[in-house]
Amino acid sequence: MRARPAGAGTVNQSISISSRRVAALAACVVAGVAAAVASVSSISLVPPAIEPLALEIAGATSTVVVDRPRPLVADRLATDGDYQTLQKRAVLLANLVTSAPVLERIGRRAGVDPDEIAASTRVTANVQSVLTDPNSEKRASDIRDARRRYRIEVQPDPTLPSFTVFARAPTIAAAEALANSAVAGLHDYRVALARREHADPAQAVRLEQVGTARGAIINGGAKVVIAGFSGLCGFAAAGLALLTAARLRRRGRAGTRPPGGGPREAPARSGPPPQAAVVPARLRPAGERGVAAALADWPHTTRVLPWLVALFMAMIWLVPFNVIELSVSLPIDLPLDRLVLPFIVGAWVLALAAGDPSGPRIRVTWIHLALAAMVVVACASLVIEARSLSQTLEFDTSVKKLTLLASYLSLFVVVASVVRRSEVPAFLTYTLALAVLCALGTIWEYRFKYNVFYSLSDQVLPGIFHVGAAEAAALDNAGRRVVRGPAELSLETVAMLAMGLPIALVGLVHAVRARARIGYGICAALLVAGAVATYRKSAFVAPISVFLTLAYFRRRELVRLAPLGVVMVVMIPMLAPGAVGSVAAQLSGSRLQVDTVSDRTSDYDAVRPDVWSHLMLGRGYGSYEHTSYRTLDMELLRQLVDVGVLGLAAYLLVIGAVVAVARAPIRARGSLEATVALSAAAAAVAFLVVSTLFDVMSFPHSPYIFLSIAALLAVVSAPAERPRR
């Protein structure tokens, strides 16, 4: 037999691997192209045909002025009351435009079937937003009207005797004709009504259209955006499926391999190298000292990524980044966090590609898989509902919300891969220190009516940034003072402090020395006092959920700490005097039935049409905006509306995965694992509780904090990896 050349098997194997990778890449490209074409085309098999869909929407506007037969401007005896009366008449006529008899005449003049026209009149009066929220019957009719090709929306001016007509149609000419026909159709109805009532039409108020309607395409590039997004999702889904299949195949081969069938690798040696154990760092050469500093644990390290993570965590806890934007005009809104996070992710990608032994390592846990499932469901909901969201002009808003979800996931992945197992205690202590600073600033705002977070951010940041204003003595609808802390909402500050509270309580439980117990007890008292200082009922509910979680896992330890708990209860009223009584009064039977409670309970019935019409995957991630629909004061309900039953299950799966991963370390009662796991489990329960109190995912402080703590749990719970060669 002819001898096989040395290395021929390795070359053939390399060629085979390369060909498989090329084939896999080609399959992903084909899947992406197919998804992109299917999203913007109508595909039929019999006969085979691909026809592009008409996704563009044209819009046109016209302004109508309402006046008396004798112009009011020329009347010297006219008073402010005359203008107010005429403005109310304009509101009445604006509502009349969208009535059935007027729509029939508008459709006749525009050459459109009136049944194809959806019409609505906005409420522009100065009333509370809760009075304008649609109920279930109104939403059912809105969902039906959303399928219609033509739409008229009338907006009365809140102060002037005029109203504006917004018309939508498949073409610009049709939109302009519809907008112009609105005034003519209303005039036809008024003339017919006057004749029927034997009245003189000349004595009625006059309607004057300011010029002719002008239209344009209002969702230009919709096909490109939808096709690009769907193609990217199809490419990613195919790649994920191929990677999963390859991993399962490798596991199957490893399971069928006979014992002793292959060479075994030498066991990985743990612990520091012998030189590091013998020679002190200060006696090594300068080059070796630099390497040792790079390999050391944070904060005694020169590695850049841990410091970037620490700076971003400080921004999360101490900076109102969600109300800080660039002063320059951009096509999209870019708050401070979405300006900083891409640089951190970019540095992470470069370090990962470099393959440095001190660089990031991706450790896949059940928490990673749960977050991936949440993102997959969100993307699937947008791909499936892309056409309908484009027709309602909500697709761009949904994509923006998806980028916010991607930023949450990015922070989790970066922290879980950058932070080492030995660095977790330092980051946990650092998180507690930031939480205490947040609580101190909130208490300061409560007592002195000065928001240090907003003020310092405005003074420190350059002039190209604009910081939103925080009114020191503002009141909400219930008459409570608004104490924001570093967040945009008071409820958000409560959620932040509630998720930092478990770190202090777990440290209190595990502390051995009296000095450490006193320190952790003071931190816990400050965190609770900071939450109570916001005047929100959630300041009692969220911390109680943390105490109950710790009591479930550490009942005996908490009982022994009861005397210290009494001291904490005494300290809280001293730190925030009057706040405890104010919050407790809101929980009484007579004060509990306030607008914030009744409005939240009314949401359940109001969203039934949206839930039942899109049960499994919802109407599209992030598409249910409070500016257009109801303000849903419950994240679980918003998830159900946006991404359906599957999306709500994925959201709960993320929280459940944190608790499930934490259970084993908690029961083991190890020093490091148990501390991190117990803190993360209690933070997850607090996050679940606040998810029932407000739309927590719309305000990024809380999700960032929850996922950063979950990432620390992922670090200590992931299986140890072999050192890189």
Side-chain angles (χ1 to χ4, degrees), residues 306-622:
W307 284 106
L308 292 178
V309 169
L311 290 176
F312 193 79
M313 292 176 64
M315 186 185 73
I316 293 171
W317 281 99
L318 304 177
V319 178
F321 57 84
N322 204 38
V323 296
I324 299 177
E325 295 183 353
L326 288 173
S327 300
V328 297
S329 178
L330 294 175
I332 58 176
D333 297 333
L334 283 180
L336 185 60
D337 62 317
R338 274 164 275 179
L339 285 172
V340 176
L341 190 58
F343 292 98
I344 299 177
V345 174
W348 176 81
V349 171
L350 293 176
L352 194 65
D356 188 8
S358 62
R361 295 189 179 185
I362 298 179
R363 315 169 181 93
V364 179
T365 63
W366 288 108
I367 307 176
H368 288 77
L369 298 179
L371 284 169
M374 184 176 175
V375 175
V376 168
V377 173
C379 293
S381 69
L382 288 185
V383 171
I384 294 174
E385 299 293 334
R387 298 178 186 176
S388 60
L389 292 177
S390 177
Q391 293 296 313
T392 56
L393 305 179
E394 295 172 327
F395 186 77
D396 291 342
T397 302
S398 299
V399 172
K400 291 178 182 179
K401 289 296 185 69
L402 190 62
T403 58
L404 182 59
L405 178 62
S407 65
Y408 298 155
L409 181 64
S410 300
L411 177 65
F412 172 82
V413 173
V414 169
V415 175
S417 59
V418 168
V419 178
R420 297 173 179 174
R421 185 185 184 88
S422 54
E423 294 174 339
V424 171
F427 271 97
L428 206 63
T429 304
Y430 177 66
T431 302
L432 177 59
L434 294 175
V436 171
L437 290 177
C438 176
L440 287 172
T442 306
I443 295 173
W444 185 276
E445 180 185 3
Y446 167 78
R447 302 195 68 166
F448 300 102
K449 298 182 181 181
Y450 176 78
N451 192 312
V452 63
F453 306 106
Y454 280 73
S455 299
L456 288 182
S457 298
D458 193 20
Q459 296 174 10
V460 172
L461 290 175
I464 60 173
F465 291 98
H466 171 71
V467 182
E471 299 179 11
L475 302 177
D476 63 2
N477 294 332
R480 299 171 297 187
R481 244 189 67 200
V482 177
V483 180
R484 291 187 175 90
E488 188 176 357
L489 293 179
S490 303
L491 280 173
E492 193 178 4
T493 302
V494 173
M496 295 167 61
L497 298 178
M499 287 185 286
L501 180 61
I503 305 176
L505 295 179
V506 172
L508 182 62
V509 169
H510 291 169
V512 178
R513 298 182 178 179
R515 180 185 299 177
R517 289 187 176 181
I518 294 174
Y520 282 118
I522 293 175
C523 291
L526 287 172
L527 293 175
V528 176
V532 173
T534 61
Y535 287 109
R536 295 303 180 270
K537 300 183 291 294
S538 308
F540 280 1
V541 179
I544 287 176
S545 67
V546 173
F547 282 105
L548 292 178
T549 305
L550 296 181
Y552 176 79
F553 291 108
R554 295 289 189 269
R555 291 181 290 274
R556 297 178 181 177
E557 289 86 344
L558 286 182
V559 170
R560 291 198 299 266
L561 295 175
L564 190 57
V566 174
V567 177
M568 291 173 52
V569 172
V570 175
M571 287 181 58
I572 293 172
M574 297 173 59
L575 294 170
V580 176
S582 176
V583 176
Q586 298 177 44
L587 295 173
S588 62
S590 58
R591 296 282 303 278
L592 193 58
Q593 299 300 323
V594 294
D595 292 340
T596 56
V597 177
S598 59
D599 183 41
R600 184 177 291 114
T601 55
S602 66
D603 291 339
Y604 305 144
D605 177 71
V607 300
R608 279 192 300 111
D610 292 281
V611 173
W612 288 112
S613 60
H614 307 84
L615 183 60
M616 298 307 297
L617 282 173
R619 66 191 310 273
Y621 183 82

Side-chain angles (χ1 to χ4, degrees), residues 642-659:
D642 279 352
V643 282
V645 175
L646 294 179
L648 177 60
Y651 183 81
L652 296 175
L653 181 63
V654 173
I655 300 175
V658 174
V659 178

Side-chain angles (χ1 to χ4, degrees), residues 62-73 93 161-165 183-184 186-187 190 205-212:
S62 63
T63 302
V64 181
V65 176
V66 180
D67 203 351
R68 297 190 309 191
R70 180 183 178 183
L72 192 62
V73 177
L93 293 172
S162 65
F163 59 86
T164 304
V165 178
V183 182
L186 179 60
H187 177 73
R190 294 172 65 237
V205 294
R206 294 188 298 116
L207 300 175
E208 295 184 5
Q209 182 176 348
V210 182
T212 59

Side-chain angles (χ1 to χ4, degrees), residues 151-231:
R151 184 173 187 84
I152 292 178
E153 186 174 303
V154 185
Q155 180 175 340
D157 193 287
T159 56
L160 299 177
S162 65
F163 59 86
T164 304
V165 178
F166 300 91
R168 284 194 234 163
T171 63
I172 297 177
E176 292 176 345
L178 192 62
N180 290 324
S181 300
V183 182
L186 179 60
H187 177 73
D188 293 344
Y189 174 76
R190 294 172 65 237
V191 170
L193 182 62
R195 290 175 179 174
R196 188 170 66 245
E197 299 294 333
H198 304 288
D200 185 6
Q203 299 300 319
V205 294
R206 294 188 298 116
L207 300 175
E208 295 184 5
Q209 182 176 348
V210 182
T212 59
R214 301 186 63 180
I217 298 296
I218 56 179
N219 65 337
K223 282 189 176 181
V224 176
V225 174
I226 294 175
F229 179 79
S230 301

